[in-house]
Amino acid sequence: MKVNDALSGALLALLALVVLFAVKDYPTIPGQDIGPAAFPSLLAGLLLVCSAVLVVRGLQDRRAAWVSPGAWLRSPRHLLNVGLVVGGLALYVAASDTVGFIPLSLLILSALFLALDVRPLLVLPVALVATLVIHFVFYKLLRVPLPWGWLQGIAW
């Protein structure tokens, strides 16, 4: 699917304005020139500049349609893959607290790998290694608590 740059730029500008509105009330830190709103404001400002460029270029290109569907929208296989990604995310949101990150990640990654024609002998080992690496990075390095669910009794 191809979306005109003017439309993409307008949506990005809206996102930047929402960020700027959200950080305007962030508190200042006494004794420091830079507070918690500085970095998000800087990024939102840069996003506004880039979105303005996109809008101008999109409006200059008179030949481009606002939205033109891509060939993949007529492909059942591609639609299935999109459905699996969206369904996997919805399943994770709905069941992660009960089932846990590790079992759901194994299930979702395995389904995606099979749909993307990964060799069946590689599906489970790669899904397991990817799940454990992701869990390690989030749980140990970034200190983001992922739900244990069914594995709560053996959590390390």
Side-chain angles (χ1 to χ4, degrees), residues 136-148:
F136 175 78
V137 168
F138 276 86
Y139 197 77
K140 294 290 185 181
L141 300 179
L142 298 175
R143 303 227 185 265
V144 175
L146 297 173
W148 284 101

Side-chain angles (χ1 to χ4, degrees), residues 48-115:
L48 268 175
V49 170
C50 293
S51 62
V53 171
L54 279 174
V55 168
V56 168
R57 286 189 181 176
L59 293 175
Q60 287 175 345
D61 188 6
R62 302 259 187 242
R63 297 172 289 127
W66 286 103
V67 176
S68 60
W72 68 271
L73 283 174
R74 293 181 294 277
S75 166
R77 180 177 178 89
H78 289 96
L79 291 175
L80 171 70
N81 291 343
V82 169
L84 282 172
V85 170
V86 172
L89 289 171
L91 175 66
Y92 182 80
V93 168
S96 63
D97 287 334
T98 304
V99 178
F101 172 80
I102 293 175
L104 276 175
S105 178
L106 282 171
L107 175 71
I108 294 167
L109 285 176
S110 296
L112 290 172
F113 288 159
L114 288 172

